[in-house]
């Protein structure tokens, strides 16, 4: 789609122009779940930072346009020369990794080249935990993107995010209804964190990027509390007052279950493979770099489970 800028209110324009010397950050994928949380954190915790939300679909960003500058038509598939105008004036960019597995490296390379054309000096990238050593199938495009960034001449920071706790708690109400959490993770310990934890850390690093303190750094980000899927099932049982067990399945069988509930077969195989890797420790880290960036502990599993099992969460999913 053609690139265009959403109109903004006179009040917001005056506010922005009065901050002409402020630090300006950009957030790609700003209408996604992580991007929205990053922007919310920037506004709440770092109000002096000017924010540019980079989005593909203008209609999905109508609410953001009321509070930050929105630049629409920012499609990772576009040529770098088409993306560069949206990046003008951005001092540090958070490149939220694409969700299109198999296309991601080329898409990320487009954005990185666009940053060079636009003169963006710093880029933060959301990678995967232990990208250089993990056996996970998802890691290859992240490793290639990291290498592309490091050779670009841009000052970069790598945020190697671990698993979202929501990857498991998102289906917890259905698991409770059926009395079982399914997976292929065995007794592997998973040091996940909530999406909100990762977003808060990204916002903190992005807002302070101008200091140079994060240049060249790679952060291995994971939750303080590691758990097995049996632990997750036990916590769900404790909170709901009903028996919920963990059923460990062979990856091929687990993939079939995921397909049966509507997931595309390639994605189902990818998730089952990721669970198998988790059984070998791929999602474990005890370095606590995430909580150090946050300045407080990461969200406990019990809190994440309570949120997932709350009636309001069920109503929200039903509405969607």
């Amino acid at each position: 789609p053609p690139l265009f800028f959403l109109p903004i209110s006179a009040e917001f324009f005056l506010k922005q122009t009065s901050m002409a010397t402020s630090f300006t950050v950009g957030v790609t994928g700003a209408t996604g779940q992580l991007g929205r949380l990053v922007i919310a954190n920037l506004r709440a915790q770092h109000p002096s930072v000017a924010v540019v939300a980079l989005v593909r679909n203008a209609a999905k960003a109508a609410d953001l346009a009321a509070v930050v500058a929105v630049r629409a038509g920012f499609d990772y598939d576009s040529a770098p020369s088409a993306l560069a105008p949206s990046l003008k004036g951005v001092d540090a960019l958070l490149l939220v990794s694409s969700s299109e597995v198999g296309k991601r490296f080329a898409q990320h390379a487009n954005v990185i080249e666009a940053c060079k054309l636009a003169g963006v000096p710093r880029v933060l990238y959301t990678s995967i935990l232990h990208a250089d050593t993990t056996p996970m199938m998802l890691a290859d495009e992240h490793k290639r993107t990291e290498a592309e960034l490091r050779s670009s001449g841009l000052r970069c920071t790598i945020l190697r995010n671990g698993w979202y706790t929501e990857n498991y708690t998102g289906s917890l109400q259905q698991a409770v209804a059926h009395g079982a959490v399914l997976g292929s993770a065995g007794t592997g310990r998973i040091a996940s964190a909530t999406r909100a934890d990762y977003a808060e850390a990204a916002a903190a690093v992005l807002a302070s990027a101008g200091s140079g303190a994060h240049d060249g750094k790679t952060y291995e980000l994971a939750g303080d509390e590691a758990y097995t899927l049996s632990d997750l099932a036990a916590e769900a049982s404790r909170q709901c007052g009903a028996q919920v067990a963990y059923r460990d399945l062979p990856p091929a069988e687990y993939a079939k279950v995921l397909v049966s509930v509507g997931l595309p077969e390639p994605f189902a195989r990818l998730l089952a493979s990721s669970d198998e890797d988790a059984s070998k420790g791929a999602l474990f880290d005890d370095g606590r770099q995430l909580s150090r960036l946050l300045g407080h502990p990461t969200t406990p599993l019990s809190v994440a489970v309570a949120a997932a099992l709350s009636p309001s969460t069920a109503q929200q999913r039903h509405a969607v």
Side-chain angles (χ1 to χ4, degrees):
L3 185 70
F4 65 94
F5 298 85
L6 294 182
I8 55 179
S9 68
E11 179 183 359
F12 183 71
F13 178 78
L14 288 173
K15 179 181 177 183
Q16 291 298 95
T17 53
S18 69
M19 297 169 59
T21 59
S22 72
F23 189 68
T24 300
V25 302
V27 179
T28 72
T31 56
Q33 294 181 81
L34 182 66
R36 284 184 176 278
L37 288 171
V38 171
I39 289 173
N41 269 278
L42 286 167
R43 294 187 62 240
Q45 304 297 328
H46 312 280
S48 65
V49 175
V51 180
V52 174
L54 297 148
V55 305
R56 283 189 296 185
N57 189 322
K60 292 182 178 179
D63 59 324
L64 293 176
V67 292
V68 298
V70 172
R71 299 178 184 177
F74 195 87
D75 190 323
Y76 288 175
D77 287 321
S78 298
S81 59
L83 297 173
S86 287
L87 297 170
K88 290 292 185 183
V90 171
D91 297 306
L93 179 74
L94 176 65
L95 171 53
V96 176
S97 57
S98 165
S99 61
E100 297 184 78
V101 177
K103 297 177 61 178
R104 294 196 288 190
F105 173 69
Q107 292 172 331
H108 299 160
N110 286 340
V111 178
I112 293 167
E113 183 61 27
C115 287
K116 293 162 66 175
L117 294 175
V120 177
R122 288 182 169 88
V123 177
L124 287 67
Y125 172 64
T126 60
S127 187
I128 192 172
L129 187 67
H130 303 149
D132 52 342
T133 59
T134 183
M136 297 183 74
M137 293 169 56
L138 289 168
D140 180 65
E141 290 179 297
H142 288 297
K143 285 190 288 189
R144 294 171 65 193
T145 300
E146 288 186 13
E148 186 76 7
L149 265 175
R150 292 190 180 104
S151 65
S152 68
L154 302 170
R155 283 166 279 185
C156 63
T157 304
I158 309 299
L159 304 174
R160 288 180 172 170
N161 290 349
W163 228 227
Y164 293 147
T165 305
E166 291 88 345
N167 289 352
Y168 293 114
T169 60
S171 58
L172 201 54
Q173 291 193 4
Q174 297 94 310
V176 168
H178 291 88
V181 170
L182 305 182
S184 297
T187 57
R189 297 173 67 201
I190 300 163
S192 69
T194 63
R195 191 176 279 106
D197 287 334
Y198 293 119
E200 183 182 346
V205 175
L206 187 59
S208 60
S211 69
H214 305 290
D215 290 352
K217 297 287 184 64
T218 296
Y219 295 108
E220 302 286 358
L221 304 179
D224 294 341
E225 175 187 2
Y227 58 90
T228 67
L229 293 189
S230 292
D231 295 331
L232 173 64
E235 181 61 28
S237 293
R238 186 186 70 81
Q239 293 198 26
C240 72
Q243 181 62 36
V244 181
Y246 172 55
R247 287 183 55 203
D248 195 58
L249 303 174
E253 185 177 343
Y254 182 41
K256 289 179 181 178
V257 171
L258 294 174
V259 170
S260 73
V261 297
L263 270 63
E265 187 172 346
F267 187 52
R269 289 200 304 268
L270 182 65
L271 289 182
S273 173
S274 297
D275 243 29
E276 183 180 24
D277 291 331
S279 73
K280 304 170 186 175
L283 297 179
F284 176 74
D285 182 89
D286 59 0
R288 300 203 170 203
Q289 292 189 36
L290 178 54
S291 55
R292 283 201 290 273
L293 288 178
L294 293 173
H296 60 76
T298 57
T299 304
L301 179 65
S302 59
V303 173
V305 168
L309 295 180
S310 70
S312 61
T313 302
Q315 290 169 4
Q316 289 168 9
R317 290 201 183 105
H318 183 71
V320 173

